[in-house]
Amino acid sequence: PRRFAGRNIHSVEIWLKDSVTDVAGESVQSAVADMGFGRPALSRFGKRLYARATSTTKFRHAVAKTLANETVNYCKIVTTQRQKK
């Protein structure tokens, strides 16, 4: 996103683990089938969030503490660095 241009930008993808029932994903499968298309074999719900943080370690800690529940979620954190022109 444009407003996060610059350095120390992180994104985190949060997904439900495969062992957890994904009600939103099941709803999407039903909706696609109801529209006349074939029912998808798999549909999972996830979210991606962007944030600015001065330290990847601090960002990982904040995600683990506030956004992801290790019991039901897994997450992938990506740090993007602005390249010099």
Side-chain angles (χ1 to χ4, degrees):
R2 184 178 198 109
R3 65 179 169 205
F4 284 114
R7 296 181 182 213
N8 302 318
I9 305 302
H10 304 272
S11 72
V12 58
E13 291 182 5
I14 302 172
W15 298 86
L16 291 173
K17 289 184 176 180
D18 292 336
S19 59
V20 177
T21 302
D22 187 351
V23 178
E26 291 173 357
S27 178
V28 168
Q29 286 179 319
S30 296
V32 170
D34 289 346
M35 289 189 296
F37 299 101
R39 186 177 180 90
L42 179 64
S43 177
R44 303 291 292 174
F45 176 78
K47 54 189 166 185
R48 176 181 285 177
L49 305 168
Y50 294 89
R52 184 184 310 271
T54 57
S55 161
T56 303
T57 304
K58 288 180 181 179
F59 183 71
R60 287 182 188 279
H61 179 72
V63 167
K65 198 89 164 146
T66 61
L67 298 175
N69 178 343
E70 291 180 5
T71 304
V72 296
N73 300 118
Y74 66 90
C75 63
K76 176 182 174 184
I77 295 174
V78 178
T79 301
T80 59
Q81 294 292 330
R82 184 176 172 184
Q83 296 180 358
K84 293 182 181 181
K85 294 181 179 182

